[in-house]
Amino acid sequence: MKRVTIKDVAAHAGVSYQTVSRVINNQPGVVESTRQRIEQAIVELNYRPNLAARSLPRHRSNIIGLIVPYDAVYLFRDPNLLAQISSIDAEANACGYNLLLSTAAGSDNGLDAYKRFVRNRVADGALVVETAAGAAGNQLLSQNNYFYVSLGYDLSHTRKYFVHADDRRGANEATRHLLHKGHRRIGIINGPLIGAVGATQERLTGHLEALAEANIVFDPCLMVYGDYTRPSGQKATEKLLALPDPPTAIFAFNDRMAMGAVWMLKSAGLRVPEDIAVVGFDDIPTAADFSPPLTTVRHSGVRVGQVAAQMLFKLIDGAPVESPEVVLPAELIVRQSS
Amino acid sequence: MKRVTIKDVAAHAGVSYQTVSRVINNQPGVVESTRQRIEQAIVELNYRPNLAARSLPRHRSNIIGLIVPYDAVYLFRDPNLLAQISSIDAEANACGYNLLLSTAAGSDNGLDAYKRFVRNRVADGALVVETAAGAAGNQLLSQNNYFYVSLGYDLSHTRKYFVHADDRRGANEATRHLLHKGHRRIGIINGPLIGAVGATQERLTGHLEALAEANIVFDPCLMVYGDYTRPSGQKATEKLLALPDPPTAIFAFNDRMAMGAVWMLKSAGLRVPEDIAVVGFDDIPTAADFSPPLTTVRHSGVRVGQVAAQMLFKLIDGAPVESPEVVLPAELIVRQSS
DNA sequence: CTGAAAGCGCTTACAG
DNA sequence: CTGAAAGCGCTTACAG
């Protein structure tokens, strides 16, 4: 299994290997006929550049890390995160980067994803999914002189680079919409209490601000917790319905829990939105086709991934980054569930 | 941002850099006192080996590819795949490998995941999620002299390395169980028709074989299709119930669709298993807690990932691999839904 | 426009 | 037990 190198290509094309290097790197100053001969030799020999060999003199591997500080089995809980990962992968490919996946698989400690990443010097930088493990993790990245951009909020107050949707504003608008419809008791289905992330904190803040603006005192009994899954939304709704003074509207902090809420309400014989309104968050693809079509807050995980990746590539290139924190729009989409 | 290299460590410890190399690689023949001085220097300087520099003389990058020939947003459809990925990641880490993720994000062509992977020479081998794109993809891998192990079936008949559960036997047992309970009309909720994978084909084969053994003619009307999601299981069940002669049992080819089936049956006023039995496949964590607890077929995605990863590492090391195809057990778990 | 030289940060025999 | 040499497959100035 012989390796074909730049020198084999050069010999085959009858040029020096430096000229081959120029062609591979699309550098000017190679006469067209020579370039074509070399390109043909590359195809004929099925030559593929050795990334390690390129990395060494370049001080650049064109590999970026994707740090997910939890076990991969939990990825499916969050379609929005999957959208981010997908767009990161697409963006990386379009810009000539490879993606190194670093999760905390097999460990219950999110910090392990970071430790594994820094163990070897291999990537030019990292995109990190912001979690509670982020504080220590980001410190590790900084100590090892990595560029990194977080998908999420500045939970660890490192004042580095962050990209996220405007969760606060989105939740604020959703709540104002419900208030406008006359609702005064709004049940909240929050994300998990443990391992709370910036997004849900901000959504709650946006909700509370809207209540305060309307001079409504927040009733803590109206807030229950799910784990982003549909069944958890059902259970949470069960709790809200069991309240002495149940809410007339439910605002779930993601769409899947909102869908679970609708199912539970239906099976309790309640009509949505006539008897009780439901609003979700995320605008996942199935939200519009749901019965009833779900009122929700649209924001783009795809865009977050793109912007974060572009930011990281700029940092690696030493190009200027306008703002260290990018807040992407979130927009209320009113449908029939409210 | 200065890079600290093996030479810096050597200077700091007062030895030649070759000796540092020996310590990093845990080679014998370094006196204990020297080793300790070097290890301390490594810590003090926060030295991290440069993977590209190691790869070059070793002809080994300690990076393996994980080729997922579709968009990452679809990953969440399959918890079992996530379990595989998680265990691959854990195994890779335990064995000193890094994971390079290659998906077809941003493209509707699964082959792109392979093309991206082979574009540069960077990994020592690959683990590939077997799909319909596999035939051309595997050819690409072979042409480029990569070792690879498929998670799934030999759909492209390349007679290479494959690891999967015994889907046929699992489905066979599940069907025999239902037949034993007296069911003669068994509805099948299959995976998607388009992009069918070996696993569901094999499950169907196992089912058909069990029917044949019992001299029951398969009624094609009894087979409907879902997309592995819970809602799709509900819709599929609706179709089965609308049949002139509806089934007395439903066998869904994964648990989430089986759960959707149970919900639909309940909301149609039917009791499970008294009026109609339901059997799933996979034994996902929530299957046991479901109401009623779900009869299903247990197999281990974690084990598939582990075995496939170990197999790849052996191939890379040039170690002998006992069998090119490993079939892992699938076991019927009888609970209350049947 | 093309080639010869030096070097990236390591590892691997080979001396001593 | 430790050091000096050569080389992995490229890139990047520097000559010509």
Side-chain angles (χ1 to χ4, degrees):
Chain A
M1 192 173 56
K2 61 163 208 320
R3 276 168 288 272
V4 15
T5 73
I6 208 180
K7 291 187 184 179
D8 299 317
V9 175
H12 197 259
V15 293
S16 75
Y17 64 87
Q18 291 89 339
T19 306
V20 176
S21 173
R22 277 183 202 108
V23 171
I24 293 168
N25 294 293
N26 276 313
Q27 282 168 18
V30 180
V31 83
E32 191 51 30
S33 62
T34 310
R35 180 181 299 275
Q36 289 196 352
R37 243 185 319 137
I38 292 173
E39 277 170 354
Q40 199 183 342
I42 287 174
V43 172
E44 282 174 13
L45 299 177
N46 193 27
Y47 167 76
R48 309 287 179 164
N50 181 318
L51 206 61
R54 303 185 92 172
S55 302
L56 214 37
R58 275 181 165 182
H59 302 297
R60 174 81 80 86
S61 67
N62 276 49
I63 291 174
I64 58 166
L66 177 60
I67 301 181
V68 183
Y70 44 82
D71 197 302
V73 293
Y74 298 122
L75 276 178
F76 79 98
R77 291 215 174 157
D78 192 350
N80 191 57
L81 177 58
L82 256 356
Q84 290 178 11
I85 292 176
S86 165
S87 71
I88 287 168
D89 196 14
E91 202 68 21
N93 252 285
C95 299
Y97 282 91
N98 296 96
L99 212 57
L100 199 75
L101 182 66
S102 195
T103 79
S107 151
D108 53 357
N109 186 356
L111 193 55
D112 282 357
Y114 294 86
K115 286 184 182 165
R116 290 169 183 179
F117 177 76
V118 300
R119 197 160 53 186
N120 290 298
R121 185 97 217 165
V122 49
D124 299 329
L127 257 10
V128 358
V129 175
E130 195 60 22
T131 63
N138 292 342
Q139 210 182 330
L140 252 183
L141 294 177
S142 293
Q143 278 168 359
N144 286 279
N145 299 114
Y146 280 105
F147 296 116
Y148 65 91
V149 177
S150 298
L151 305 161
Y153 287 83
D154 189 5
L155 293 172
S156 51
H157 303 293
T158 48
R159 309 200 145 279
K160 292 276 183 169
Y161 301 91
F162 291 86
V163 181
H164 56 80
D166 197 344
D167 294 283
R168 184 191 293 211
R169 184 156 221 281
N172 189 277
E173 284 187 13
T175 303
R176 275 165 38 208
H177 161 71
L178 289 172
L179 293 171
H180 182 74
K181 290 266 179 181
H183 297 286
R184 287 298 171 268
R185 286 185 66 72
I186 302 171
I188 292 294
I189 306 181
N190 201 339
L193 241 189
I194 297 171
V197 292
T200 49
Q201 288 176 11
E202 287 294 299
R203 288 172 198 178
L204 182 57
T205 302
H207 172 69
L208 295 178
E209 284 176 352
L211 290 185
E213 285 162 20
N215 288 314
I216 295 177
V217 179
F218 172 68
D219 177 358
C221 295
L222 287 174
M223 184 157 72
V224 291
Y225 300 89
D227 64 4
Y228 301 124
T229 65
R230 211 182 263 229
S232 77
Q234 286 183 273
K235 283 185 201 122
T237 303
E238 219 166 0
K239 283 185 206 148
L240 289 173
L241 291 179
L243 248 35
D245 187 7
T248 63
I250 292 178
F251 180 17
F253 282 1
N254 81 345
D255 283 345
R256 293 201 295 161
M257 295 194 292
M259 289 174 177
V262 170
W263 279 358
M264 176 51 67
L265 294 171
K266 279 185 181 173
S267 74
L270 293 166
R271 292 165 307 163
V272 178
E274 293 82 358
D275 298 324
I276 182 161
V278 174
V279 174
F281 210 107
D282 288 347
D283 194 29
I284 62 177
T286 47
D289 303 327
F290 198 64
S291 167
L294 200 65
T295 295
T296 184
V297 178
R298 177 184 295 168
H299 61 112
S300 171
V302 168
R303 200 82 193 97
V304 167
Q306 282 173 344
V307 170
Q310 288 295 353
M311 205 180 229
L312 179 61
F313 301 154
K314 277 186 189 166
L315 290 171
I316 292 170
D317 286 339
V321 170
E322 302 85 61
S323 165
E325 182 167 15
V326 176
V327 182
L328 294 166
E331 175 194 6
L332 180 69
I333 305 291
V334 179
R335 298 202 183 94
Q336 278 83 72
S337 69
S338 66
Chain B
M1 192 173 57
K2 63 165 208 317
R3 277 169 287 273
V4 13
T5 73
I6 208 179
K7 292 188 182 177
D8 299 316
V9 175
H12 197 260
V15 294
S16 77
Y17 64 86
Q18 290 90 340
T19 307
V20 176
S21 173
R22 277 183 202 106
V23 170
I24 292 167
N25 293 295
N26 276 314
Q27 282 169 17
V30 180
V31 83
E32 190 52 31
S33 61
T34 309
R35 181 182 297 275
Q36 288 196 353
R37 244 186 317 138
I38 291 172
E39 276 170 355
Q40 200 183 341
I42 286 174
V43 172
E44 282 173 14
L45 298 178
N46 192 27
Y47 168 75
R48 310 286 179 165
N50 181 318
L51 207 61
R54 303 185 91 172
S55 303
L56 214 38
R58 275 182 164 181
H59 302 298
R60 176 83 79 88
S61 66
N62 276 49
I63 291 174
I64 57 166
L66 177 60
I67 301 180
V68 182
Y70 44 84
D71 197 303
V73 293
Y74 297 121
L75 277 178
F76 79 99
R77 292 214 172 158
D78 192 350
N80 191 56
L81 178 58
L82 257 356
Q84 290 178 12
I85 293 176
S86 165
S87 71
I88 287 168
D89 196 13
E91 203 68 20
N93 253 285
C95 300
Y97 282 91
N98 295 97
L99 212 57
L100 199 76
L101 182 67
S102 194
T103 80
S107 152
D108 54 357
N109 185 358
L111 193 55
D112 282 356
Y114 294 86
K115 287 185 182 162
R116 290 168 184 180
F117 177 76
V118 301
R119 197 161 49 184
N120 290 299
R121 185 99 217 163
V122 49
D124 298 328
L127 258 10
V128 357
V129 175
E130 194 60 23
T131 64
N138 292 342
Q139 209 181 329
L140 252 183
L141 294 177
S142 293
Q143 278 169 357
N144 286 279
N145 298 113
Y146 280 104
F147 296 117
Y148 66 92
V149 176
S150 297
L151 305 162
Y153 287 83
D154 189 4
L155 293 172
S156 50
H157 304 291
T158 48
R159 310 200 145 277
K160 292 277 183 170
Y161 301 91
F162 290 86
V163 181
H164 57 81
D166 196 344
D167 294 283
R168 185 192 292 212
R169 184 155 220 281
N172 189 277
E173 285 187 13
T175 303
R176 275 164 40 206
H177 160 73
L178 288 172
L179 293 172
H180 182 74
K181 290 267 180 182
H183 297 286
R184 287 297 171 271
R185 285 186 67 74
I186 302 171
I188 291 295
I189 305 180
N190 201 339
L193 240 189
I194 296 171
V197 292
T200 49
Q201 288 176 9
E202 288 293 300
R203 288 172 198 177
L204 181 58
T205 302
H207 172 70
L208 295 178
E209 284 176 353
L211 290 186
E213 284 162 20
N215 289 313
I216 294 176
V217 178
F218 172 68
D219 177 358
C221 295
L222 286 173
M223 184 156 74
V224 291
Y225 300 89
D227 64 3
Y228 301 123
T229 66
R230 212 183 262 230
S232 77
Q234 286 183 273
K235 283 186 201 121
T237 303
E238 218 166 1
K239 282 185 207 147
L240 289 173
L241 291 179
L243 248 35
D245 187 8
T248 63
I250 292 177
F251 180 17
F253 282 0
N254 81 345
D255 284 346
R256 294 202 294 161
M257 294 194 292
M259 290 174 175
V262 170
W263 279 356
M264 177 49 69
L265 294 171
K266 280 184 179 172
S267 75
L270 293 166
R271 292 165 306 163
V272 177
E274 293 83 356
D275 298 324
I276 183 160
V278 174
V279 173
F281 209 107
D282 288 348
D283 195 29
I284 62 177
T286 46
D289 303 329
F290 198 65
S291 169
L294 201 65
T295 295
T296 184
V297 178
R298 177 184 295 167
H299 61 112
S300 171
V302 167
R303 199 81 195 97
V304 167
Q306 282 173 345
V307 170
Q310 288 296 353
M311 205 180 229
L312 180 61
F313 300 155
K314 277 186 189 164
L315 290 171
I316 293 170
D317 286 338
V321 170
E322 301 86 62
S323 165
E325 181 166 17
V326 176
V327 182
L328 294 166
E331 175 194 8
L332 180 68
I333 306 291
V334 179
R335 297 202 181 94
Q336 279 84 70
S337 69
S338 65

